[in-house]
Each structure stands twice: as structure tokens, then as C-alpha cells.
Amino acid sequence: GGIITQTPKFLIGQEGQKLTLKCQQNFNHDTMYWYRQDSGKGLRLIYYSITENDLQKGDLSEGYDASREKKSSFSLTVTSAQKNEMAVFLCASTPGQGYEQYFGPGTRLTVL
Amino acid sequence: GDSVTQTEGLVTLTEGLPVMLNCTYQTIYSNPFLFWYVQHLNESPRLLLKSFTDNKRTEHQGFHATLHKSSSSFHLQKSSAQLSDSALYYCALSTSSGQKLVFGQGTILKVYL
């Protein structure tokens, strides 16, 4: 078994602030993902990474940066927080294509 | 590009009645993987069931779905709804082109007494 941890659980920032969300997994999975979940809008992919130091843009990458310096960790940076991006950010990982994705508990972002 | 359509945003029904949540998909790839994820309130999504075999029924925790490539569908069904089935359900598609999952918009299922 394994687990995905996300820190912080709650993140409060000011409009225009740069904010970083962290994700760690001990599954030894190759691929990791960042999703944004807005109420009523499903899951939208921000970035994903198929291996250490790899980054692939998703549909919602504008306004975000990501970093995969180690296989076990994947960070997401909100480059300039906006009030309209208050949402839950979910990290996920998978061993490969066709396998299920395992999700972390999420980080809830509030922008003041 | 690839897409998944869940036509119902909200399904409400009485406990004991059958459940059917619709999922159709579009892809040019002939061997897609289809998934159903369930997300209960204040929890993260978790896999409910998956399939890549045409016309084969897959079952888990009382739910079942059959991938029909002829109609590009993967509807989720259960014979008798329970209060604990109330949750958000996502249908998702993965293809051989990469490691992304394409999610539908999600269907909220609310089961009442």
C-alpha cells in the first residue's frame, strides 16, 4: 500500500501572491498529476509529470508552474493568486497508463 | 480531442430504486480504458471500477458497467440504491496516446429515504 500527502490542507493567500502547494507519494509511482476541482466543474488537469524532471501541461496550466525534482514529490505554484481560482487542488499518482489514479486529500485554496 | 460526456448533473432517487448514470465518450483510439470514480463528501475521488474489454460487464461494490465500443458508452448501474451511494461520480477515459485521464463533468447522485 501507499499514501499521498498534500500540504498544506488549507491555504489562504492574498490576491497577487505567489503560493506553493506540495504533494508527496510513497507508492513509487512514475506519473503524478495536479488537478483543480471547482464546484460543479469537475476535475481539470493543470500539470502532470511522467518521470522525475518531466513536466507536461494540462488544459488549465496558465497561471501555474510545477516542479518534479524527485520521483516522490510534485509541487504546484500559483504564480499570482486570483479570487476566481479559489478551489480544491488535488494531487494524484499512477504507476502507468491504464492503471487507476490514486488521489491525495486535497488542498483548499482561499484567496482574500 | 478526447472527451467524456455525462449528461446528468444531478440524479435524485429514492432508496431501493435502480441507479443508472450515463457516460459516453469520444476518442479516435480503438482501445480506450474507461473508469468510474466516486467522491463522497469531504473525501477524494477513488476508483469504483474500470474496463477496457468490449461488451464485458465489470462489477464492484454492487455497481456494474459494461464498455460498449459500438455506442462509445460506459454507463454505471446498480440494481438498488442505498443512502450511502450519495456521492459525486466521475466517468473518465484513458487512451494509448498518453497517461492523461479525461474526466466527465461529474454526476451528483442523491439518494433519499
Side-chain angles (χ1 to χ4, degrees), chain A residues 31 33 35 37 40-43 45 48 50 57 59 90 94-101 103-106, chain B residues 31 33 35 37 39 42-47 50 88 90 94-101 103-106:
Chain A
T31 308
Y33 306 82
Y35 293 94
Q37 184 173 37
K41 289 188 179 179
L43 292 168
L45 182 65
Y48 69 106
I50 62 174
K57 290 184 177 181
D59 297 328
L90 290 166
T94 184
Q97 192 260 343
Y99 291 88
E100 73 175 279
Q101 291 189 11
F103 285 83
Chain B
N31 295 305
F33 293 82
F35 303 81
Y37 282 81
Q39 185 177 19
N42 296 323
E43 294 182 6
S44 297
R46 62 173 175 81
L47 182 69
K50 69 177 183 181
L88 174 59
Y90 288 109
S94 174
T95 70
S96 56
S97 69
Q99 300 202 32
K100 291 194 299 183
L101 271 185
F103 285 89
Q105 292 282 77

Side-chain angles (χ1 to χ4, degrees), chain A:
Chain A
I3 192 169
I4 296 178
T5 56
Q6 290 187 238
T7 55
K9 188 172 175 65
F10 298 96
L11 180 56
I12 300 174
Q14 299 289 329
E15 198 165 24
Q17 191 176 359
K18 183 176 176 180
L19 302 166
T20 299
L21 295 71
K22 294 185 184 294
C23 176
Q24 296 254 349
Q25 53 97 1
N26 64 1
F27 288 103
N28 199 36
H29 286 167
D30 287 319
T31 308
M32 296 185 72
Y33 306 82
W34 276 107
Y35 293 94
R36 177 173 145 179
Q37 184 173 37
D38 295 84
S39 177
K41 289 188 179 179
L43 292 168
R44 291 186 286 176
L45 182 65
I46 305 172
Y47 269 98
Y48 69 106
S49 166
I50 62 174
T51 189
E52 188 177 319
N53 293 319
D54 173 74
L55 290 175
Q56 311 275 345
K57 290 184 177 181
D59 297 328
L60 203 64
S61 61
E62 189 171 334
Y64 302 94
D65 288 327
S67 172
R68 182 98 183 268
E69 293 171 351
K70 294 191 300 184
K71 186 176 181 179
S72 61
S73 66
F74 193 29
S75 298
L76 180 73
T77 298
V78 182
T79 55
S80 177
Q82 303 298 314
K83 289 190 176 181
N84 64 1
E85 65 188 333
M86 292 197 292
V88 175
F89 290 80
L90 290 166
C91 176
S93 71
T94 184
Q97 192 260 343
Y99 291 88
E100 73 175 279
Q101 291 189 11
Y102 295 83
F103 285 83
T107 293
R108 182 174 293 276
L109 174 64
T110 301
V111 182
L112 301 176

Side-chain angles (χ1 to χ4, degrees), chain B residues 8-28:
Chain B
E8 309 103 347
L10 172 66
V11 171
T12 58
L13 44 77
T14 306
E15 191 177 36
L17 290 180
V19 178
M20 180 158 168
L21 306 184
N22 290 316
C23 173
T24 57
Y25 64 89
Q26 284 191 316
T27 180
I28 62 171

